[in-house]
Amino acid sequence: MSNKPSIPQGTRDFGPEEVRKRQYIFNTIRSVFELYGFQPLETPAMENMETLMGKYGEEGDKLIFKILNNGLNDPKNQDKSRSGFEKVMEGKNSKDLTERALKYDLTIPFARYVAMNHGQLTFPFKRYQIQPVWRADRPQRGRYREFYQCDADVVGSKSLLNEVELVNIYNEVFTQLGLTGYELRINSRKILAALAEFCGGADKMIDITTAIDKLDKIGLDKVKEELAQRGLNEEQINTIEKYLLIDGSNEEKLNQIELLLGHLEIGKQGIEELEIVNRESGPGLAGSNLIIDFTLARGLNYYTGIIFEAKAPATVKMGSIGGGGRYDDLTGLFGVPNIPGVGISFGVDRIYDVLKDLDLFPEGVYTGTQVLFFNMGVAESSKAFSTMQLLRKQGVRCELYHEQAKMDKQFKYAEKKNIGFIVIIGSTEVQNNTGVVKNLKTGTQQTVPLADLSNKLFI
RNA sequence: GAGGUUGUAGCUCAGUUGGUUAGAGCGCUAGAUUGUGGUUCUAGAGGUCGAGGGUUCGAAACCCUUCAUCCUCCCCA
């Protein structure tokens, strides 16, 4: 029976305090995006199925939340519904059963938007987008079925200046949030492509990248094992091992990769890109927070150039808190070729968990109401109400206790809501046109004429 | 999709080999205290032991099923 209400697996309610903390993260990210000249965009929660399918790889397709069509039981649809169901049972998709799905990320809907509106847009188009996305994944630490992404993308520009700006956006946001120990790992898909070309051919690229991506998790030996399982021979695996053993500062890594893959045209391009981004991203940033990592692969198969992954400080064991990269032709998927782009994403829900673990939320996040007016009776509360309205006009956040009650109760209400000040207007005060202002943190109080009440008293 | 963990009061959790009426702390309500909270003291309310079935003279405990939860793998933010 279980009459208890519940919410779907992997979703969450956010109480007042949580919302405030999340808002703090959103506002920080939004203000940095705006600072760098990005403009807001919102797209629907759901997209047509064909917009999403096939864009995230085979695994990704399975994780898309599909929406059942309405009217399946309508007599004139029943045959279609049945045959559609048969198709679904075979693992295929059927428009007769589902033609819409919840969006899986913000990049593909954005690409769809650009493809639809490229005639009207001014390029390069820089947009940011802060919205929830949904994945039918099994929930666990740092993984939810509904979560927010904050994306910033630039389309219509091949300049590496964009990558450099995005690196600095990451740095600015994480620094403002106090997350100074973050790591921004970068690599280039072109280097990975060069490696694949050098040993095994381009068709082995996905096999190679998914295996080496796990290096820090499972270790070199296991990676070699997995490569062998995926059909690479010993010579090829040895080359990959050399590749994986590249280490040192960013500059040292670049020198070593030059020796290994610099002779290939695509490798040369990738190395040059990394070199530029590393050099231009700013003194103090490159090499400490910005780390060139040749094992970084990233799953999304539309990336073609520089790729990013932001990681929380190793101590919190959270993994990726953001990611992104360059794609040469995302809108080509929607019939509008030759619009290159590059973008990044912040995972707010994980950043929230990390800030909580590290106790990095500032004090000010918790404040709501500044002043509580005590309710001392009908005539008294009427006076309190009109006084309160005047204060509200000055921008002071205040409230009047909802009913006449013992002072004890009203005090406790203020305390629980973390309200810093109370104002008592009782019969004596009504007569004298005064109020007793008490600072609950220090315990001090003073009687002041109501006309003198102002926001200065409540700081 | 595969594997595991936990589910007892509003919250955090005890509960012995299966044995009478299931406990504690915190919180809540009321009083001590009719205009001054946080401290203290006193009293009180609050449980179909996640749900359903089974074993047993007897189940919170053992078995099966199911749901939820958290975690690991896969993959990802």
Side-chain angles (χ1 to χ4, degrees), chain A residues 141 316 318 352-360:
Chain A
R141 176 173 164 82
V316 290
M318 179 58 79
Y352 177 95
D353 290 344
V354 169
L355 294 187
K356 198 175 159 193
D357 274 13
L358 297 176
D359 202 19
L360 288 175

Side-chain angles (χ1 to χ4, degrees), chain A residues 420 437-446:
Chain A
V437 177
K438 180 164 183 172
N439 180 330
L440 291 191
K441 295 215 169 71
T442 62
T444 57
Q445 67 181 50
Q446 53 179 324

Side-chain angles (χ1 to χ4, degrees), chain A residues 70-100:
Chain A
N70 292 79
L72 292 174
N73 62 335
D74 191 317
K76 69 174 191 280
N77 293 336
Q78 277 186 7
D79 283 348
K80 276 187 178 178
S81 301
R82 285 211 179 79
S83 67
F85 188 72
E86 288 302 318
K87 271 196 199 165
V88 170
M89 293 293 280
E90 290 163 23
K92 295 176 194 162
N93 274 299
S94 166
K95 265 195 123 173
D96 295 325
L97 222 53
T98 62
E99 45 192 341
R100 291 173 292 269

